[in-house]
Amino acid sequence: STTVDLGGYIDSREGPNPEGLLGQAGIAAALSDAPVGHSVYVLCSVNPPGMDPLDIKFARSTDGGGTWSDAVRVNDDTGDAWQWFGTMSVAPDGRIDVVWLDTRDNPGSVVSALYYSYSLDQGHTWSPNERLSESFHPHIGWPQQNKMGDYFDMYSDEEGAHLAWAATFNGEQDVYYSVIVPDYVRVDEIAGQ
């Protein structure tokens, strides 16, 4: 086994999901003939040193997991916010899609929204973070609880990412399905019309 240092630790003691997880480490592989070749990626919401309570961190291995890159921060906020339930998938062309729940729009609160970013260069750089949903309070559920389930799963193809995710928009915890189309794909579609 190999230890991957993501620049923090998994923390579930407080925050937007105090009786549940704030995320689990995810692993994905790029198995293509594209320039990314056969890379392995790890993503997790971790508590970094300092005042920021939780960030989405990413690392890559290009040698089958033998060695790993330094951790890269995916979220681009500048405040004291929780980025939690980080979820990742890789498209056949090598694009890496990442989503997470984020409290940056509601400082000092656990109220969260779904955010998205992608990388076209094996996670060296990430697109500007894009808010995909309205805000919701994760503690609303049946019965009122301080836990939201980590019912997040994502599959990526050349056109975008297909996401199943949990939220409490209806006053209870529900699972939603979203199709996320990266901005560079939308521009290509508009130009081709």
Side-chain angles (χ1 to χ4, degrees):
S1 65
T2 302
T3 300
V4 180
D5 182 2
L6 292 176
Y9 59 92
I10 297 175
D11 187 0
S12 61
R13 294 172 290 140
E14 56 181 281
N17 210 26
E19 293 180 16
L21 299 172
L22 290 171
Q24 300 180 28
I27 189 165
L31 303 173
S32 71
D33 294 329
V36 299
H38 301 284
S39 298
V40 182
Y41 306 125
V42 171
L43 181 95
C44 191
S45 299
V46 299
N47 185 336
M51 297 302 295
D52 197 356
L54 215 58
D55 282 327
I56 303 296
K57 294 290 193 91
F58 171 90
R60 88 190 63 68
S61 174
T62 57
D63 62 4
T67 59
W68 291 85
S69 70
D70 290 335
V72 174
R73 184 176 181 245
V74 177
N75 52 291
D76 62 10
D77 68 302
T78 58
D80 184 15
W82 297 84
Q83 286 78 34
W84 56 297
F85 280 178
T87 303
M88 164 182 63
S89 64
V90 181
D93 63 2
R95 184 191 71 247
I96 306 165
D97 294 307
V98 174
V99 296
W100 64 93
L101 296 180
D102 198 313
T103 66
R104 73 174 77 179
D105 302 311
N106 301 284
S109 171
V110 297
V111 173
S112 301
L114 183 69
Y115 270 78
Y116 168 73
S117 184
Y118 65 86
S119 176
L120 300 175
D121 61 4
Q122 291 186 288
H124 291 277
T125 61
W126 293 88
S127 67
N129 295 175
E130 180 180 357
R131 182 177 168 166
L132 298 180
S133 78
E134 295 300 317
S135 294
F136 64 93
H137 196 297
H139 296 180
I140 297 172
W142 188 90
Q144 297 298 335
Q145 58 189 11
N146 289 330
K147 176 183 177 187
M148 197 170 91
D150 57 336
Y151 311 121
F152 283 55
D153 192 35
M154 188 164 50
Y155 167 79
S156 296
D157 58 25
E158 288 83 356
E159 285 78 40
H162 302 265
L163 173 68
W165 61 291
T168 60
F169 296 119
N170 296 324
E172 62 186 17
Q173 187 174 165
D174 295 312
V175 176
Y176 295 87
Y177 170 76
S178 298
V179 176
I180 305 165
V181 180
D183 56 7
Y184 75 93
V185 173
R186 288 188 293 248
V187 169
D188 289 347
E189 288 175 355
I190 292 169
Q193 293 180 358

